Amino acid sequence: TCVDPYNGTQKNCIQEDGFDYIECIDDCVLEPCHGDADSWCLPYQHKKAISEDDLGFVPRTYYCIDEIGTFTEEQGAVISDVFDTSSRTTCYFGDNVTPVNRTISGDFLYCGGDGEICDGTFVGGYRSRNYDPRWRTWYKETKDYQKSMWSK
């Protein structure tokens, strides 16, 4: 589930018009990378979302944390500065009025492969965004070279 960053309501993670996304070509059957028979790549293409397609995404969610890095929404327990853990505050949504309280219900309440129902999965989550590293320059260059480029 995604979270509205201003008031915390849960919502579907649906790509907006014009948002960039990745789509497999030919069911993502592996193919030689740049004609090199020793390395294999998943073929995909970059596309732009159209709202009528109703495409979802896996969100990257930002969380409020306490002094030991645990996700929390306890009032007065959230650290406001990772370099000064003695400073405590309450975590608010973007309206700076509504305290973070992520109670998820319905279809969004799911934890694992056995259909286990749980709570606490999104505790402290105050913002979601669509993040796909395949759009990052470092990822594209690494894919082009088909080797690690981390220290470049």
Short mmCIF file of all heavy atoms in Angstrom, two decimals, residues 44-76:
data_model
loop_
_atom_site.label_atom_id
_atom_site.label_comp_id
_atom_site.label_asym_id
_atom_site.label_seq_id
_atom_site.Cartn_x
_atom_site.Cartn_y
_atom_site.Cartn_z
N TYR A 44 14.19 -5.43 -21.71
CA TYR A 44 13.06 -4.58 -21.33
C TYR A 44 13.17 -3.25 -22.05
O TYR A 44 14.21 -2.91 -22.60
CB TYR A 44 12.96 -4.40 -19.82
CG TYR A 44 14.17 -3.79 -19.14
CD1 TYR A 44 14.38 -2.42 -19.17
CD2 TYR A 44 15.08 -4.58 -18.47
CE1 TYR A 44 15.46 -1.85 -18.54
CE2 TYR A 44 16.18 -4.02 -17.84
CZ TYR A 44 16.36 -2.65 -17.88
OH TYR A 44 17.44 -2.10 -17.25
N GLN A 45 12.07 -2.56 -22.03
CA GLN A 45 12.04 -1.24 -22.67
C GLN A 45 11.50 -0.21 -21.70
O GLN A 45 10.74 -0.52 -20.79
CB GLN A 45 11.19 -1.27 -23.93
CG GLN A 45 9.77 -1.71 -23.71
CD GLN A 45 9.03 -1.95 -25.00
OE1 GLN A 45 9.39 -1.41 -26.03
NE2 GLN A 45 7.99 -2.76 -24.96
N HIS A 46 11.93 1.03 -21.89
CA HIS A 46 11.45 2.15 -21.07
C HIS A 46 10.19 2.69 -21.72
O HIS A 46 10.15 2.91 -22.93
CB HIS A 46 12.52 3.25 -21.01
CG HIS A 46 13.76 2.81 -20.30
ND1 HIS A 46 14.24 3.47 -19.20
CD2 HIS A 46 14.60 1.77 -20.49
CE1 HIS A 46 15.33 2.86 -18.77
NE2 HIS A 46 15.57 1.83 -19.54
N LYS A 47 9.16 2.91 -20.89
CA LYS A 47 7.89 3.42 -21.40
C LYS A 47 7.35 4.49 -20.47
O LYS A 47 7.86 4.68 -19.37
CB LYS A 47 6.87 2.27 -21.52
CG LYS A 47 7.29 1.20 -22.53
CD LYS A 47 6.24 0.16 -22.68
CE LYS A 47 5.28 0.59 -23.76
NZ LYS A 47 4.28 -0.44 -24.06
N LYS A 48 6.30 5.15 -20.89
CA LYS A 48 5.62 6.17 -20.09
C LYS A 48 4.22 5.64 -19.75
O LYS A 48 3.53 5.12 -20.60
CB LYS A 48 5.49 7.48 -20.86
CG LYS A 48 6.84 8.10 -21.18
CD LYS A 48 7.01 9.36 -20.41
CE LYS A 48 8.32 10.02 -20.79
NZ LYS A 48 9.10 10.39 -19.66
N ALA A 49 3.84 5.80 -18.50
CA ALA A 49 2.54 5.31 -18.03
C ALA A 49 1.40 6.18 -18.58
O ALA A 49 1.55 7.38 -18.76
CB ALA A 49 2.49 5.31 -16.52
N ILE A 50 0.29 5.52 -18.82
CA ILE A 50 -0.96 6.18 -19.19
C ILE A 50 -1.97 5.78 -18.12
O ILE A 50 -2.12 4.59 -17.81
CB ILE A 50 -1.44 5.70 -20.58
CG1 ILE A 50 -0.38 6.02 -21.63
CG2 ILE A 50 -2.77 6.32 -20.94
CD1 ILE A 50 -0.63 5.37 -22.98
N SER A 51 -2.67 6.74 -17.54
CA SER A 51 -3.53 6.46 -16.38
C SER A 51 -4.56 5.37 -16.67
O SER A 51 -4.91 4.61 -15.78
CB SER A 51 -4.21 7.73 -15.89
OG SER A 51 -5.00 8.29 -16.90
N GLU A 52 -5.04 5.26 -17.89
CA GLU A 52 -6.04 4.24 -18.21
C GLU A 52 -5.49 2.83 -18.05
O GLU A 52 -6.24 1.87 -17.90
CB GLU A 52 -6.56 4.39 -19.65
CG GLU A 52 -7.32 5.67 -19.93
CD GLU A 52 -6.38 6.83 -20.30
OE1 GLU A 52 -5.47 6.65 -21.11
OE2 GLU A 52 -6.59 7.91 -19.73
N ASP A 53 -4.16 2.67 -18.10
CA ASP A 53 -3.55 1.34 -17.96
C ASP A 53 -3.61 0.83 -16.54
O ASP A 53 -3.46 -0.36 -16.29
CB ASP A 53 -2.10 1.36 -18.43
CG ASP A 53 -1.99 1.55 -19.93
OD1 ASP A 53 -2.99 1.33 -20.64
OD2 ASP A 53 -0.89 1.91 -20.40
N ASP A 54 -3.80 1.75 -15.55
CA ASP A 54 -3.93 1.37 -14.15
C ASP A 54 -2.75 0.50 -13.69
O ASP A 54 -2.93 -0.56 -13.09
CB ASP A 54 -5.25 0.63 -13.94
CG ASP A 54 -5.77 0.81 -12.53
OD1 ASP A 54 -5.42 1.81 -11.88
OD2 ASP A 54 -6.53 -0.06 -12.07
N LEU A 55 -1.53 0.96 -13.96
CA LEU A 55 -0.33 0.22 -13.62
C LEU A 55 0.10 0.51 -12.18
O LEU A 55 0.18 1.66 -11.77
CB LEU A 55 0.82 0.60 -14.55
CG LEU A 55 0.62 0.31 -16.03
CD1 LEU A 55 1.73 0.94 -16.85
CD2 LEU A 55 0.56 -1.19 -16.26
N GLY A 56 0.39 -0.53 -11.43
CA GLY A 56 0.86 -0.36 -10.07
C GLY A 56 2.37 -0.29 -10.00
O GLY A 56 3.07 -0.41 -11.01
N PHE A 57 2.89 -0.10 -8.79
CA PHE A 57 4.33 -0.13 -8.58
C PHE A 57 4.61 -0.56 -7.14
O PHE A 57 3.74 -0.49 -6.28
CB PHE A 57 4.99 1.23 -8.87
CG PHE A 57 4.52 2.35 -8.00
CD1 PHE A 57 5.14 2.64 -6.78
CD2 PHE A 57 3.46 3.16 -8.39
CE1 PHE A 57 4.72 3.68 -5.99
CE2 PHE A 57 3.04 4.22 -7.60
CZ PHE A 57 3.66 4.48 -6.40
N VAL A 58 5.81 -1.04 -6.91
CA VAL A 58 6.24 -1.40 -5.56
C VAL A 58 6.85 -0.14 -4.95
O VAL A 58 7.82 0.39 -5.46
CB VAL A 58 7.28 -2.54 -5.58
CG1 VAL A 58 7.78 -2.84 -4.18
CG2 VAL A 58 6.68 -3.78 -6.23
N PRO A 59 6.26 0.36 -3.86
CA PRO A 59 6.72 1.64 -3.32
C PRO A 59 7.97 1.53 -2.46
O PRO A 59 8.25 0.49 -1.87
CB PRO A 59 5.54 2.08 -2.46
CG PRO A 59 4.98 0.81 -1.95
CD PRO A 59 5.14 -0.17 -3.11
N ARG A 60 8.67 2.62 -2.42
CA ARG A 60 9.72 2.80 -1.41
C ARG A 60 9.08 3.68 -0.35
O ARG A 60 8.59 4.77 -0.65
CB ARG A 60 10.93 3.49 -2.01
CG ARG A 60 12.00 3.75 -0.99
CD ARG A 60 13.23 4.36 -1.61
NE ARG A 60 14.25 4.53 -0.59
CZ ARG A 60 15.45 4.96 -0.85
NH1 ARG A 60 15.79 5.27 -2.08
NH2 ARG A 60 16.32 5.10 0.11
N THR A 61 9.05 3.20 0.88
CA THR A 61 8.37 3.93 1.95
C THR A 61 9.40 4.47 2.93
O THR A 61 10.39 3.81 3.24
CB THR A 61 7.38 3.00 2.68
OG1 THR A 61 6.43 2.52 1.73
CG2 THR A 61 6.64 3.73 3.79
N TYR A 62 9.16 5.68 3.38
CA TYR A 62 10.02 6.34 4.37
C TYR A 62 9.38 6.18 5.74
O TYR A 62 8.16 6.29 5.86
CB TYR A 62 10.19 7.81 4.02
CG TYR A 62 10.90 7.99 2.70
CD1 TYR A 62 10.20 7.91 1.51
CD2 TYR A 62 12.26 8.22 2.67
CE1 TYR A 62 10.85 8.06 0.30
CE2 TYR A 62 12.92 8.38 1.45
CZ TYR A 62 12.21 8.29 0.28
OH TYR A 62 12.85 8.43 -0.92
N TYR A 63 10.21 5.92 6.76
CA TYR A 63 9.71 5.60 8.09
C TYR A 63 10.27 6.52 9.16
O TYR A 63 11.41 7.00 9.06
CB TYR A 63 10.08 4.16 8.46
CG TYR A 63 9.38 3.13 7.63
CD1 TYR A 63 9.93 2.67 6.44
CD2 TYR A 63 8.15 2.63 8.02
CE1 TYR A 63 9.27 1.73 5.67
CE2 TYR A 63 7.49 1.68 7.25
CZ TYR A 63 8.06 1.24 6.08
OH TYR A 63 7.40 0.32 5.32
N CYS A 64 9.49 6.70 10.22
CA CYS A 64 9.96 7.37 11.43
C CYS A 64 10.71 6.31 12.23
O CYS A 64 10.27 5.17 12.31
CB CYS A 64 8.77 7.85 12.26
SG CYS A 64 7.60 8.85 11.34
N ILE A 65 11.85 6.70 12.83
CA ILE A 65 12.63 5.72 13.59
C ILE A 65 12.95 6.25 14.99
O ILE A 65 12.97 7.45 15.23
CB ILE A 65 13.95 5.35 12.87
CG1 ILE A 65 14.81 6.60 12.63
CG2 ILE A 65 13.66 4.62 11.57
CD1 ILE A 65 16.20 6.30 12.09
N ASP A 66 13.19 5.28 15.88
CA ASP A 66 13.59 5.66 17.24
C ASP A 66 15.11 5.61 17.35
O ASP A 66 15.81 5.42 16.36
CB ASP A 66 12.90 4.77 18.29
CG ASP A 66 13.29 3.31 18.19
OD1 ASP A 66 14.31 2.97 17.54
OD2 ASP A 66 12.56 2.48 18.79
N GLU A 67 15.63 5.75 18.56
CA GLU A 67 17.08 5.86 18.76
C GLU A 67 17.87 4.63 18.34
O GLU A 67 19.06 4.72 18.09
CB GLU A 67 17.39 6.19 20.21
CG GLU A 67 17.00 5.10 21.18
CD GLU A 67 17.21 5.51 22.63
OE1 GLU A 67 17.32 6.71 22.91
OE2 GLU A 67 17.24 4.60 23.47
N ILE A 68 17.21 3.46 18.26
CA ILE A 68 17.95 2.27 17.83
C ILE A 68 17.59 1.86 16.40
O ILE A 68 17.96 0.79 15.94
CB ILE A 68 17.73 1.08 18.80
CG1 ILE A 68 16.26 0.69 18.89
CG2 ILE A 68 18.31 1.39 20.15
CD1 ILE A 68 16.02 -0.61 19.66
N GLY A 69 16.88 2.75 15.71
CA GLY A 69 16.59 2.51 14.30
C GLY A 69 15.35 1.68 14.03
O GLY A 69 15.10 1.27 12.91
N THR A 70 14.54 1.43 15.04
CA THR A 70 13.30 0.67 14.88
C THR A 70 12.21 1.60 14.37
O THR A 70 12.08 2.72 14.82
CB THR A 70 12.86 0.07 16.23
OG1 THR A 70 13.93 -0.73 16.74
CG2 THR A 70 11.61 -0.79 16.07
N PHE A 71 11.41 1.11 13.43
CA PHE A 71 10.28 1.90 12.95
C PHE A 71 9.33 2.15 14.10
O PHE A 71 8.98 1.22 14.84
CB PHE A 71 9.52 1.18 11.84
CG PHE A 71 10.35 0.89 10.61
CD1 PHE A 71 10.01 -0.16 9.77
CD2 PHE A 71 11.46 1.64 10.27
CE1 PHE A 71 10.75 -0.44 8.63
CE2 PHE A 71 12.21 1.38 9.14
CZ PHE A 71 11.84 0.33 8.32
N THR A 72 8.89 3.38 14.25
CA THR A 72 8.00 3.71 15.35
C THR A 72 7.09 4.88 14.98
O THR A 72 7.42 5.65 14.08
CB THR A 72 8.77 4.08 16.64
OG1 THR A 72 7.84 4.24 17.71
CG2 THR A 72 9.59 5.34 16.46
N GLU A 73 5.99 4.96 15.67
CA GLU A 73 5.12 6.13 15.56
C GLU A 73 4.72 6.61 16.95
O GLU A 73 3.82 7.41 17.10
CB GLU A 73 3.90 5.84 14.69
CG GLU A 73 3.20 4.56 15.01
CD GLU A 73 2.21 4.15 13.93
OE1 GLU A 73 2.52 4.20 12.74
OE2 GLU A 73 1.11 3.77 14.33
N GLU A 74 5.46 6.13 17.95
CA GLU A 74 5.21 6.54 19.33
C GLU A 74 5.52 8.03 19.50
O GLU A 74 6.61 8.48 19.14
CB GLU A 74 6.07 5.73 20.28
CG GLU A 74 5.86 6.05 21.74
CD GLU A 74 6.80 5.28 22.66
OE1 GLU A 74 7.29 4.21 22.25
OE2 GLU A 74 7.02 5.75 23.78
N GLN A 75 4.56 8.76 20.02
CA GLN A 75 4.75 10.20 20.20
C GLN A 75 5.90 10.48 21.16
O GLN A 75 6.01 9.86 22.21
CB GLN A 75 3.46 10.84 20.68
CG GLN A 75 2.38 10.79 19.63
CD GLN A 75 1.17 11.62 19.99
OE1 GLN A 75 1.20 12.44 20.88
NE2 GLN A 75 0.10 11.41 19.25
N GLY A 76 6.77 11.38 20.75
CA GLY A 76 7.92 11.76 21.57
C GLY A 76 9.09 10.80 21.52
O GLY A 76 10.10 11.02 22.17
#
